[in-house]
Amino acid sequence: GSWDMYRAYRDMREANYIGADKYFHARGNYDAARRGPGGAWAAKVISDAREGWQSSVSGRGAEDTRADQEANEWGRRGGDPNRYRPRGLPSKY
């Protein structure tokens, strides 16, 4: 699961596409959770740690953290990450 989370993060950084962060949050959690309970656990731990750090350090605010966590949970529950896919994001991702 941790590899899935890293791959989604790496792809998000590489894509550098405005409005795509929620898609990559959902995709990383979705891919990790499909590996089973351990993958879902890893995704939750990594997501919670990242959001905790981000909300206290980056100054992006509670609303952004809430929206990221919604996408994280959607993916972990098996929701299609494409719900958050922005128009125009290259098909490579």
Side-chain angles (χ1 to χ4, degrees):
S2 58
W3 171 249
D4 296 306
M5 298 295 289
Y6 170 73
R7 191 175 36 148
Y9 177 75
R10 183 193 64 205
D11 287 350
M12 179 177 69
R13 302 287 297 186
E14 178 183 294
N16 195 29
Y17 198 87
I18 294 173
D21 66 322
K22 305 303 181 265
Y23 165 74
F24 289 109
H25 279 268
R27 195 191 85 188
N29 278 269
Y30 175 84
D31 290 345
R34 289 191 56 168
R35 295 190 183 276
W41 176 83
K44 180 164 179 30
V45 168
I46 292 167
S47 294
D48 289 350
R50 182 174 185 273
E51 292 307 319
W53 176 84
Q54 183 176 310
S55 66
S56 65
V57 174
S58 76
R60 288 167 116 175
E63 182 58 28
D64 187 62
T65 295
R66 186 203 58 74
D68 286 349
Q69 286 289 46
E70 178 184 299
N72 293 335
E73 291 169 14
W74 173 261
R76 275 197 306 274
R77 286 192 312 262
D80 184 354
N82 288 313
R83 171 184 185 177
Y84 297 97
R85 185 182 190 86
R87 172 175 272 135
L89 180 66
S91 61
K92 171 183 178 178
Y93 306 108

